[in-house]
Amino acid sequence: PLTKEQKDFIASMLRVDHAGELGANWIYKGQLAVLGKDPHLNSVIQHMWDQEKVHLKAFDDILGDNRVRPTALRPLWEAAGYALGAGTALIGKEAAMACTEAVETVIGQHYNDQLRELLKIDHPEVHKLREVIKRFRDEELEHLDTAVDHDAQKAPAYPGLTAAIQQGCKVAIWIAAR
């Protein structure tokens, strides 16, 4: 059986991941609202959003299966995600892609950190969770590559924009863990 510390770690981890996938869904929703008329961008953003919808559904199910309470700040993550997605898209396609690159950079690192911790726990359910996290991490990193391929680094004020978004993601992770 899992120790109390392991259960607490996993509960916090799941709450953070669920909140993050919730925010990501709203980021893509905001981007699509602004950039969706461009057929190519619509397809690119919709593909990433469709993967995020699968991630969110999976974490909805995992939270329920593990009796973990979801984030109490859902309305905040929805509003912040939409504002970030739509706001960067209003600056332009490159800024929207810079937003995706920045977010997915932090999330890729975050999932890697979680995987390192989960490797320390030998339990069949944790093994399944590791597989889910690995798959989602790989898809998030695919989004990062997609963003770079779509001119993220040509965004106005790219270094400052991405640094601010990355810092915001780190703060959101810290808050969601509580």
Side-chain angles (χ1 to χ4, degrees), residues 8 11-13 15-16 19 69 77 171-178:
D8 290 347
S12 175
M13 182 192 86
R15 195 168 19 264
V16 169
R69 71 167 173 82
W77 303 136
V171 169
I173 289 168
W174 183 83
I175 291 169
R178 269 81 202 139

Side-chain angles (χ1 to χ4, degrees), residues 5-155:
E5 291 77 20
Q6 290 169 331
K7 287 179 184 176
D8 290 347
F9 166 75
I10 291 169
S12 175
M13 182 192 86
L14 292 174
R15 195 168 19 264
V16 169
D17 292 351
H18 182 258
E21 296 299 347
L22 185 63
N25 268 269
W26 284 85
I27 289 170
Y28 288 120
K29 186 174 187 170
Q31 288 179 349
L32 209 53
V34 175
L35 299 173
K37 290 183 178 147
D38 176 314
H40 176 68
L41 283 179
N42 183 303
S43 170
V44 167
I45 295 168
Q46 188 66 59
H47 172 72
M48 294 187 289
W49 189 14
D50 288 345
Q51 288 182 319
E52 298 295 351
K53 289 175 185 177
V54 170
H55 299 179
L56 181 58
K57 170 72 170 96
F59 279 115
D60 279 338
D61 294 344
I62 293 168
L63 283 181
D65 292 347
N66 289 278
R67 299 177 185 260
V68 173
R69 71 167 173 82
T71 178
L73 301 175
R74 184 177 186 124
L76 173 65
W77 303 136
E78 291 174 352
Y82 191 85
L84 182 59
T88 54
L90 286 168
I91 296 169
K93 160 186 105 71
E94 295 82 3
M97 291 296 130
C99 171
T100 297
E101 179 193 0
V103 169
E104 302 299 16
T105 297
V106 172
I107 299 312
Q109 293 166 351
H110 172 70
Y111 277 152
N112 279 333
D113 292 344
Q114 288 182 342
L115 287 167
R116 277 190 287 281
E117 291 302 313
L118 290 173
L119 282 170
K120 299 174 186 174
I121 304 171
D122 185 22
H123 188 277
E125 289 301 311
V126 173
H127 176 73
K128 289 184 206 173
L129 182 58
R130 278 197 307 263
E131 293 307 310
V132 169
I133 301 278
K134 282 181 197 174
R135 191 181 80 209
F136 290 176
R137 178 214 45 211
D138 292 347
E139 290 175 357
E140 305 295 2
L141 294 177
E142 176 189 307
H143 300 172
L144 188 161
D145 292 342
T146 297
V148 171
D149 291 345
H150 285 83
D151 300 328
Q153 295 170 355
K154 293 181 181 175

